[in-house]
Amino acid sequence: MIRLDFPTRTVVPAGLAVLGLAGAAFTVRRPLLMSAPTCLAGRWHGCYDTFNGVVLMTLVGLPVAALVGWALARLRRAAGVTSAWRRSLAEVGMVYGTVPFVWMTLMPGAAPGVAPGRVSLVPLRDLVTMGPIGIGGNLLVLAALGFFAPVRFPALASVPRVLALGAGCSVLIETAQYVLWLDRVSSVDDVLVNTVGAGLAALASRRWWRTPGRVPPRPAPAPATRGRHERGGAAARRP
């Protein structure tokens, strides 16, 4: 039976994630390529203020993110840090997989600074208007945070704690949309879907952060039994 060492067992899921992103990018390649000329020209408008442009540049920057994770792991291994690969890949994945989605949620609408903030506090009312694409996008906003945070921080190695973290982060995002007058709707349904996405991602990475159960200690022999053995041994030693 071939046993994989820890770096390999960690890199394989990361490679599968990259392949999944590449497959998704191939599916939506036409919208992404529409933003390619603007992004490659280094223009902010038309690239970083559009969903297609942000997704395209996130995919383009994946090799750089992988190189940063590799460099952090090498430095930590040289310093004798335990779990160097786990910590480095979790940190890079958590940041790089979350920041682009948060950036997209904070993109202004048609009338930023003019239209007042709008709030929707009725649960499940906005799910119908989101549609499958909107629901899928909201599930991914904090998915990387939910996947890698319990791997990196043992204090978060629990699905309820990840759900609490996701809810708190989502509330901050919706509050920023309202306070900054971005002409976006701050909805309780966004908080719910974002939190569910973080929780599902935490379940997907559970094998890397769950704590194995402790082996119960062996019970000590009863005092009465130990006394009988001692008396039997003393009687056997008598002449």
Side-chain angles (χ1 to χ4, degrees):
M1 181 177 179
I2 300 176
R3 184 175 181 179
L4 300 177
D5 57 355
F6 179 73
T8 306
R9 289 186 288 119
T10 307
V11 171
V12 168
L16 293 177
V18 171
L19 291 177
L21 290 174
F26 179 79
T27 304
V28 295
R29 63 188 184 281
R30 291 184 179 179
L32 294 180
L33 290 177
M34 292 174 59
S35 302
T38 305
C39 293
L40 294 178
R43 302 175 190 171
W44 182 276
H45 182 66
C47 180
Y48 294 100
D49 58 352
T50 64
F51 289 172
N52 294 336
V54 173
V55 174
L56 176 63
M57 296 309 296
T58 302
L59 295 174
V60 170
L62 277 176
V64 178
L67 182 61
V68 171
W70 175 82
L72 286 175
R74 290 295 299 270
L75 290 175
R76 282 173 170 159
R77 290 190 66 182
V81 178
T82 59
S83 303
W85 280 98
R86 177 192 292 267
R87 297 179 61 179
S88 302
L89 293 179
E91 288 173 357
V92 173
M94 182 171 51
V95 174
Y96 196 78
T98 304
V99 171
F101 286 103
V102 174
W103 180 268
M104 287 188 283
T105 61
L106 296 179
M107 284 184 181
V114 178
R118 292 166 289 169
V119 180
S120 176
L121 299 178
V122 180
L124 307 181
R125 186 176 69 179
D126 296 333
L127 287 178
V128 179
T129 59
M130 285 184 187
I133 297 179
I135 294 176
N138 279 293
L139 288 174
L140 294 175
V141 171
L142 300 177
L145 181 65
F147 188 95
F148 290 108
V151 177
R152 175 59 181 86
F153 302 105
L156 295 175
S158 168
V159 174
R161 294 178 184 178
V162 173
L163 290 174
L165 175 65
C169 293
S170 185
V171 168
L172 289 177
I173 293 173
E174 299 300 314
T175 303
Q177 291 178 349
Y178 180 83
V179 172
L180 297 176
W181 282 36
L182 297 178
D183 192 19
R184 303 284 296 268
V185 179
S186 299
S187 173
V188 68
D189 286 346
D190 290 338
V191 176
L192 293 175
V193 179
N194 293 346
T195 304
V196 170
L200 293 176
L203 288 175
S205 65
R206 189 170 181 267
R207 59 176 298 184
W208 292 287
W209 55 259
R210 64 182 178 182
T211 302
R214 295 182 178 179
V215 179
R218 298 181 60 182
T225 303
R226 190 165 52 240
R228 286 197 301 268
H229 285 307
E230 292 176 354
R231 289 196 299 269
R237 288 194 298 269
R238 291 177 182 174

